[in-house]
Amino acid sequence: MGFSVSNHRFFVLLFITFTNIWIASAFTGTYGVNYGRIADNIPAPESVVTLMKAAKIKNTRIYDADHEVLKAFKGSGIEIIIGLGNEFLKEISVSQDRAMDWVKQNVEPFVPGTRIRGIAVGNEVLGGADQELWEVLLPAVKNIHTALDLLHLADDVEVSSPHSAGVFASSFPPSAGAFKESLMPYMKPLLEFFSRIKSPFYINTYPFLAYISDPEHIDINYATFKKNPGIYDEKTKLHYDNMFEAQIDAAYAALEKAGFSKTEVIVSETGWASRGDPNEVGATVSNARTYNLNLRKRLLKKKGTPYRPKMVVKAYVFAMFNENLKPGPTSERNFGLFKADGSIAYDIGFTGLVPSSATSLLSFKGNGLMYAVCAAALVLMSL
């Protein structure tokens, strides 16, 4: 059968259309890992990239725009969301030039080799203690997006801002999910802008924190995806057998009440600590393994929640490593899937650097030999 010019044009247009659809998404698959670096003993970025590639981790988030990290991810194929810290929000909110400088310094030189797919502007701002930041968040978001647009990067790099559970006035049962009234003058315009540029709603969701706050009344099995009676939402007539999905649907309910029923929810952080203080009764290796193993299995199913069954759940696990310099309770320093030397903290299907030789392997920082030796020491696990 002949192949006409019109057919050729059709397929070119079809390719471009699907390419644009692919470019618009900042998340490949359903599983990602946060790469926190508040530590002085974790592997070099090159080794971290090797670990992620071996584990088939396709998505990651960092909390800044460290150039050595961005260089290490060049050519890896891993999609990365970088962070613009809260400390920059005020100056960027009042200066388009400053926003442009930030993007020119921290994004433009690294793409497309490093697959920067998004910028998280601020972290857990709304509902936080600094109310001045509430006011400057949206102007900062807009200035960063404008800078990306002027540099012709807005189609490739998503702009977002992750929230904590502190934005909710209520979240149980899921249908009762609602934003705090005090935040609505800031939340609604932010959601309107994100709706216009087609950005999702990112939420940090921690069944661990809910459980340790009330272990007498919350079933540990419900919190860790194990078999349990679950809960029943009378309003929606929906049953929930795990807290993770219930928390996501509480976010969907809140968005719906605010007028944004079509906005997608993506979990920007979730995880379980493997060690904690005496009052953090659920922080154990066993519970951390159970939660993260079952979470991974849940995400691999690529399905939605009871309230949004067609909206596939996507989540970034917190975190890649235990971070020994994080302040706060002991749990804060023990969320890692991997220990400082690159070995696994517990088994959920990943294999890290061989513990006995981790030190010598990591000493080859940036050396090509390190990649070869590390790769040989890793077991490839397909996600």
Side-chain angles (χ1 to χ4, degrees):
M1 185 173 65
F3 192 80
S4 68
V5 172
S6 60
N7 283 338
H8 175 72
R9 285 174 179 167
F10 170 77
F11 282 108
V12 168
L13 287 171
L14 191 66
F15 173 77
I16 292 172
T17 300
F18 279 102
T19 299
N20 286 339
I21 291 172
W22 176 79
I23 285 175
S25 173
F27 205 121
T28 296
T30 58
Y31 189 89
V33 178
N34 287 276
Y35 172 21
R37 302 183 344 273
I38 305 177
D40 61 6
N41 59 354
I42 59 176
E46 295 86 358
S47 300
V48 176
V49 171
T50 303
L51 276 170
M52 287 189 181
K53 289 177 70 175
K56 302 298 183 186
I57 294 170
K58 300 180 178 68
N59 309 278
T60 191
R61 295 172 71 244
I62 60 174
Y63 294 87
D64 53 22
D66 185 274
H67 290 191
E68 291 306 308
V69 173
L70 296 180
K71 289 174 186 175
F73 276 89
K74 182 177 181 179
S76 68
I78 296 170
E79 315 233 310
I80 183 169
I81 291 180
I82 63 176
L84 189 158
N86 292 355
E87 66 271 23
F88 298 110
L89 294 183
K90 291 178 183 178
E91 58 181 297
I92 284 180
S93 72
V94 296
S95 174
Q96 183 60 64
D97 288 343
R98 181 68 184 91
M100 178 64 78
D101 288 344
W102 194 92
V103 173
K104 281 185 173 181
Q105 291 170 16
N106 299 300
V107 180
E108 191 179 37
F110 301 98
V111 295
T114 298
R115 300 191 66 183
I116 299 174
R117 311 300 290 137
I119 301 172
V121 179
N123 186 48
E124 299 188 341
V125 173
L126 298 185
D130 190 345
Q131 294 193 24
E132 287 185 25
L133 292 184
W134 300 6
E135 298 176 1
V136 301
L137 178 59
L138 180 56
V141 163
K142 286 182 174 180
N143 283 347
I144 288 294
H145 183 266
T146 297
L148 290 169
D149 199 32
L150 291 171
L151 294 171
H152 307 290
L153 295 172
D155 289 340
D156 298 342
V157 183
E158 171 191 274
V159 180
S160 63
S161 188
H163 305 286
S164 74
V167 299
F168 300 118
S170 60
S171 59
F172 182 85
S175 62
F179 295 120
K180 291 177 178 175
E181 283 299 322
S182 60
L183 294 180
M184 287 308 293
Y186 309 97
M187 178 66 82
K188 191 158 187 178
L190 184 69
L191 291 173
E192 286 172 349
F193 182 72
F194 283 151
S195 178
R196 183 166 69 80
I197 64 173
K198 296 180 171 56
S199 286
F201 179 83
Y202 283 92
I203 185 70
N204 296 341
T205 295
Y206 283 95
F208 166 75
L209 296 178
Y211 175 74
I212 66 171
S213 70
D214 191 10
E216 291 184 11
H217 298 99
I218 296 176
D219 185 350
I220 186 68
N221 294 328
Y222 176 64
T224 58
F225 299 92
K226 293 179 76 175
K227 188 175 180 180
N228 68 94
I231 67 153
Y232 182 71
D233 192 322
E234 288 284 351
K235 182 177 180 180
T236 59
K237 310 300 182 188
L238 295 173
H239 179 265
Y240 292 85
D241 60 15
N242 67 83
M243 188 185 293
F244 177 73
E245 290 183 4
Q247 289 181 337
I248 293 172
D249 276 354
Y252 275 121
L255 287 166
E256 192 172 281
K257 290 181 179 74
F260 300 92
S261 59
K262 295 183 180 180
T263 297
E264 179 184 14
V265 173
I266 295 180
V267 176
S268 38
E269 287 183 19
T270 189
W272 201 284
S274 59
R275 185 168 169 248
D277 294 323
N279 65 325
E280 298 178 301
V281 294
T284 67
V285 171
S286 176
N287 286 337
R289 179 185 181 277
T290 298
Y291 182 81
N292 280 303
L293 178 61
N294 288 334
L295 172 68
R296 188 168 174 236
K297 289 178 179 177
R298 164 64 183 82
L299 294 173
L300 285 172
K301 292 179 180 178
K302 298 181 179 179
K303 68 172 188 175
T305 61
Y307 195 55
R308 288 286 189 272
K310 294 182 180 179
M311 197 75 82
V312 176
V313 176
K314 304 169 185 175
Y316 292 87
V317 176
F318 188 85
M320 193 72 182
F321 299 101
N322 289 332
E323 298 171 76
N324 68 325
L325 298 183
K326 289 198 76 173
T330 299
S331 61
E332 285 291 319
R333 294 176 288 283
N334 290 278
F335 273 90
L337 299 176
F338 296 89
K339 295 179 182 179
D341 63 1
S343 62
I344 59 170
Y346 41 79
D347 184 12
I348 64 165
F350 298 140
T351 301
L353 298 172
V354 177
S356 61
S357 57
T359 302
S360 62
L361 292 178
L362 295 177
S363 67
F364 286 98
K365 291 181 182 178
N367 191 303
L369 179 59
M370 182 276 292
Y371 287 99
V373 179
C374 282
L378 297 164
V379 175
L380 300 177
M381 300 299 298
S382 179
L383 279 178

